[in-house]
Amino acid sequence: MKAPPALSVIGWSGSGKTTLVERLVPELHSRGLRVGVVKHSSDHHPLHRTGSDTARFEQSGAALVAFATPAGVQLSVREEPEQVLLPLLERFGDRVDLVLVEGWKDGPLPKLEVWREGHGPLLASTRSDVLAVVTDAPRLPEGSPEGLQRFGTAELQGLAVFITRLAREQAHEP
């Protein structure tokens, strides 16, 4: 099975990535897309609560640890996201039409940048894989790439149309 189209939502801490993804999921769903979401973090933090059974299994050297409840299953493996994430998404390609990855600035996916003045420089200025910028700023900073698609933070419907079109184009690529 082919992996579903995926898009990283990148930006500096506090720029509004989580809020945007949270708002986009129902908007994209209303357009007929089944959306999966992955949270990527570059910070090292434990995947299991200290002292929990799953943390103890992980510390024992288990190759993978799963936590299963009636609400679902959470699986963790000690591998780099590049080695696991894309093949895992491929496994679930029949369940989702699009995957939004919050974060993963250096990952291989096309990117949507959330940019807010005062939170750091525009990442799109140095990255050719940023397709569009979402911002509450009246304009992008000097030196921004020409022709870069820009959406205001309130333009959720226009952004959803843009993402839906990208997802459908990616789904039809060989």
Side-chain angles (χ1 to χ4, degrees):
M1 169 148 299
K2 183 180 172 186
L7 181 68
S8 285
V9 178
I10 66 169
W12 299 103
S13 180
S15 63
K17 299 179 302 292
T18 301
T19 300
L20 180 64
V21 170
E22 183 180 34
R23 291 177 58 218
L24 273 173
V25 170
E27 185 66 33
L28 293 166
H29 180 76
S30 75
R31 295 169 188 285
L33 292 177
R34 298 169 298 167
V35 181
V37 177
V38 173
K39 170 67 178 174
H40 178 273
S41 176
S42 56
D43 296 329
H44 292 278
H45 56 78
L47 296 174
H48 304 282
R49 185 175 38 85
T50 302
S52 68
D53 293 349
T54 55
R56 291 170 59 195
F57 300 148
E58 183 181 49
Q59 290 166 355
S60 75
L64 65 87
V65 176
F67 185 68
T69 74
V73 176
Q74 182 175 343
L75 175 68
S76 58
V77 295
R78 289 186 172 270
E79 295 181 46
E80 291 295 316
E82 293 84 1
Q83 297 171 340
V84 176
L85 189 55
L86 297 178
L88 186 62
L89 294 179
E90 191 173 302
R91 157 83 168 70
F92 291 97
D94 62 339
R95 294 186 186 191
V96 297
D97 302 306
L98 170 69
V99 176
L100 297 176
V101 178
E102 184 194 330
W104 211 12
K105 287 181 190 121
D106 297 321
L109 303 174
K111 293 163 183 57
L112 174 69
E113 180 177 355
V114 182
W115 182 73
R116 187 172 281 170
E117 285 183 299
H119 281 80
L122 185 70
L123 296 167
S125 295
T126 59
R127 296 172 174 270
S128 61
D129 55 357
V130 176
L131 305 176
V133 174
V134 178
T135 183
D136 56 2
R139 60 185 165 284
L140 295 178
E142 291 292 321
S144 298
E146 261 196 52
L148 183 64
Q149 184 79 41
R150 180 191 175 282
F151 294 93
T153 53
E155 295 178 61
L156 195 60
Q157 291 179 349
L159 180 58
V161 168
F162 177 78
I163 292 171
T164 301
R165 188 178 71 243
L166 283 173
R168 293 197 171 127
E169 288 170 4
Q170 283 185 24
H172 289 69
E173 289 178 358

